[in-house]
Amino acid sequence: MNLCALWLVLIGVVDIRIELRNERLSGQGREVGRDWFATLTERDFDRAYRIAGFILGDAHEAEDATQDALSRAWERRHSLRELDRAQAWFDQILVNACRDRLRKRRPVRLIQLSESDGASGRDPFNAILTTDEALRGLAGLDFNHRAVLVLRFWADLPESAIGERLGIPTGTVKSRLHVALRQIRSAMNAGGPT
Amino acid sequence: MTDDEELERRVHDAFKSATAPRAPISIRERVSELPTANMRSGPRFHMTWAVLGAILVVLVVAISRSYLPANTGTVPPQSPEPTAQVSTTPLSSLAESQNAPGAVDLLLPGPLTGNGWKVVANGIGLRRKPTDIPGIAGVQVVAGRELAGLHTILRIPDTTIIDPRTQAALVVDLWAGDGPICGQERFDGVDFDQVGSKITVRYSDAALVTPLPSGTLCALDAREASILVAIDLSHIPTSPVTVAVARFGGGGWADVATVAASFPSPSAKP
């Protein structure tokens, strides 16, 4: 019994030392995250807001999602270890914030483009997505396909980078892109969202 | 260009030609509020580890009580009491600055002067690599011409801090703190044994004097606290001299390090 207790103590000491070492490492990460926040520019805010806007199709939702993402990024700034990876790190948080926004408003109301003739004048993202024939099909896409499409063709990210941000393999990105484009084509041929 | 490529180009162009709105001012305002609104002041400490630590502390206390009934944290009868001037300022200024936030100071206040010796600097810097063994100490004797380079070695600004004509230096390295339970140490002073030709630097396990609160966690590795002590050449026994570091622990005084040294006479010039 006492030997077991001593063994537990030894294991515990080792674990705590590892944890404290990790805390010191995360201390370095915290500085990187803080540095990144200090370098944010208008362009970064615009980029995040527009990605969220095109994914959500709603300016107010995009604003909330961007603010959520920035708050989460600040809380998790300890996890950012390299400044070079800050963009991918934040994009991942932003996409997740958009996903959470959509979940909160279940049943999913992507964009009611078919009813949006009057609404397009009110919401700038909605207006864009209803004006262009090639973008009109986004209304019929679910979150996964819409996010892939926006990151690929608006943010100009390569497939590997999209996979990193969404936490999916590159092959899955390609598959989703293919499906998304097929639906876009169907929507174009049909003259509206599928 | 295939149909797929053509479609990709159309979607891409549609996105790029669109004049998307700029981020509203509220987003920038939110960022400016972040440091005060959501800042967490320190590294996260997982509840799992906190619970595990608490369990470990309880286990250690239980085991120590069952195996070491005599060591109950009270002061033994022969516990040393510093008789010289006692400073209320922690000696380890550098060690203190290296501590993690909330960690206890590892070197307790002790006497700063005594008969033939005086602490002239502390927290000099890490001159050796830390070990995982708490309480292992060392001492280095510096005298005569060697004192000229002491300020460089120990990174102390005052080159006249020790007068080589009348003084020598003892650089005492005390180790304190390791693992989940802090091991504090207290510097107790220097003894000169003229008959035995021995100089003894004394320090003690501070837990025997001031036990730490139960469950205190020490958030750092073993830490070296260096103390620079000037000793008067007039008090030094006849060379060759043995310089020892003695630690008072649960079993009383014990020499933990000894070095042989020879000192110049007080009248010798550097």
Side-chain angles (χ1 to χ4, degrees), chain B residues 7 16 29 34 46 54 61-62 81 93 96 98 111 115-116 122 126 128 143 147 169 180 188 193 236 251-252 254 264:
Chain B
L7 180 59
K16 292 301 177 185
E29 288 174 348
L34 284 174
H46 299 293
V61 170
E81 288 296 330
S93 58
E96 189 175 42
Q98 291 169 330
N115 188 18
N122 55 71
L126 296 177
R128 302 172 190 172
L147 281 168
D188 286 326
D193 179 1
I236 292 174

Side-chain angles (χ1 to χ4, degrees), chain A residues 16-171:
Chain A
I16 284 179
R17 288 172 69 92
I18 291 171
E19 178 66 16
L20 291 172
R21 184 168 291 115
N22 289 340
E23 292 290 355
R24 281 195 287 270
L25 288 174
S26 72
Q28 295 167 1
R30 184 171 60 249
E31 296 306 316
V32 174
R34 191 184 290 271
D35 290 347
W36 177 73
F37 264 91
T39 61
L40 284 177
T41 63
E42 298 288 322
R43 192 175 174 181
D44 297 314
F45 295 134
D46 290 345
R47 179 182 181 276
Y49 176 65
R50 287 168 178 172
I51 287 177
F54 283 124
I55 290 177
L56 295 168
D58 184 289
H60 294 298
E61 294 272 22
E63 183 178 343
D64 290 343
T66 308
Q67 289 190 349
D68 288 350
L70 287 165
S71 295
R72 290 181 197 178
W74 178 257
E75 290 169 1
R76 299 173 192 171
R77 65 192 184 279
H78 320 280
S79 62
L80 179 60
R81 305 285 167 78
E82 301 167 30
L83 208 52
D84 292 345
R85 290 190 38 77
Q87 190 67 72
W89 170 78
F90 178 70
D91 283 353
Q92 192 171 29
I93 295 173
L94 178 67
V95 170
N96 285 333
C98 291
R99 181 186 282 118
D100 290 347
R101 279 275 144 194
L102 286 176
R103 282 176 181 160
K104 283 179 184 173
R105 69 182 187 194
R106 281 188 175 187
V108 176
R109 180 187 64 83
L110 291 177
I111 309 174
Q112 305 301 320
L113 293 181
S114 58
E115 309 165 0
S116 63
D117 288 344
S120 63
R122 295 195 297 271
D123 189 284
F125 287 106
N126 202 333
I128 293 168
L129 295 173
T130 54
T131 302
D132 196 288
E133 182 189 24
L135 299 181
R136 211 171 291 158
L138 261 73
L141 300 178
D142 64 14
F143 170 82
N144 290 329
H145 293 91
R146 180 192 293 253
V148 167
L149 210 67
V150 171
L151 292 175
R152 179 72 187 93
F153 296 114
W154 186 84
D156 289 329
L157 292 173
E159 288 155 348
S160 58
I162 296 170
E164 184 183 14
R165 282 154 173 79
L166 298 178
I168 55 177
T170 305

Side-chain angles (χ1 to χ4, degrees), chain A residues 2 5-6 8-9 12-13 15-17 19-20 23-24 26 30 34 37 40 42 45-46 49-50 54 63 66-67 70-71 74-78 124-125 128-129 132-135 138 149-150 153-156 178 181 184-185 188, chain B residues 3-4 7-24 26-28 30-31 34-35 38-46 49 52-53 56 59-60 63 66-67 132 178-180 217-222:
Chain A
N2 286 328
L6 276 171
L8 279 173
V9 168
V13 168
D15 285 347
I16 284 179
R17 288 172 69 92
E19 178 66 16
L20 291 172
E23 292 290 355
R24 281 195 287 270
S26 72
R30 184 171 60 249
R34 191 184 290 271
F37 264 91
L40 284 177
E42 298 288 322
F45 295 134
D46 290 345
Y49 176 65
R50 287 168 178 172
F54 283 124
E63 183 178 343
T66 308
Q67 289 190 349
L70 287 165
S71 295
W74 178 257
E75 290 169 1
R76 299 173 192 171
R77 65 192 184 279
H78 320 280
F125 287 106
I128 293 168
L129 295 173
D132 196 288
E133 182 189 24
L135 299 181
L138 261 73
L149 210 67
V150 171
F153 296 114
W154 186 84
D156 289 329
H178 178 73
L181 287 170
I184 292 277
R185 185 191 303 279
M188 289 170 68
Chain B
D3 288 348
D4 287 346
L7 180 59
E8 287 182 11
R9 188 190 60 75
R10 283 195 63 184
V11 173
H12 181 267
D13 290 348
F15 272 123
K16 292 301 177 185
S17 61
T19 308
R22 299 200 61 188
S26 61
I27 291 177
R28 269 154 276 167
R30 180 61 174 269
V31 171
L34 284 174
N38 296 303
M39 188 170 169
R40 294 179 62 128
S41 58
R44 300 173 185 211
F45 197 90
H46 299 293
W49 295 110
L52 178 60
L56 287 174
L59 279 173
V60 169
I63 291 169
S66 62
Y67 279 101
D132 288 332
D178 185 51
L217 293 181
C218 194
L220 61 164
D221 293 327

Side-chain angles (χ1 to χ4, degrees), chain B residues 205-257:
Chain B
D205 179 357
L208 298 176
V209 183
T210 310
L212 288 168
S214 176
T216 299
L217 293 181
C218 194
L220 61 164
D221 293 327
R223 190 71 74 190
E224 183 189 47
S226 295
I227 301 173
L228 180 60
V229 183
I231 54 175
D232 296 338
L233 292 179
S234 60
H235 282 70
I236 292 174
T238 307
S239 293
V241 178
T242 298
V243 181
V245 179
R247 181 175 186 265
F248 185 84
W253 285 108
D255 287 357
V256 293

Side-chain angles (χ1 to χ4, degrees), chain B residues 113-192:
Chain B
T113 62
N115 188 18
W117 63 270
K118 180 182 180 182
V119 173
V120 293
N122 55 71
I124 299 162
L126 296 177
R127 296 164 50 252
R128 302 172 190 172
K129 291 183 179 178
T131 71
D132 288 332
I133 307 170
I136 298 297
V139 61
Q140 184 179 350
V141 178
V142 186
R145 296 179 187 276
E146 294 175 357
L147 281 168
L150 191 64
H151 66 285
T152 304
I153 298 170
L154 301 179
R155 303 175 213 155
I156 48 180
D158 187 358
T159 57
T160 61
I161 199 166
I162 295 176
D163 183 353
R165 293 168 298 183
T166 59
Q167 294 176 305
L170 297 179
V171 183
V172 185
D173 302 322
L174 304 180
W175 294 95
D178 185 51
I181 297 180
C182 296
Q184 289 181 307
E185 306 289 351
R186 186 187 66 185
F187 177 74
D188 286 326
V190 181
D191 289 343
F192 298 93

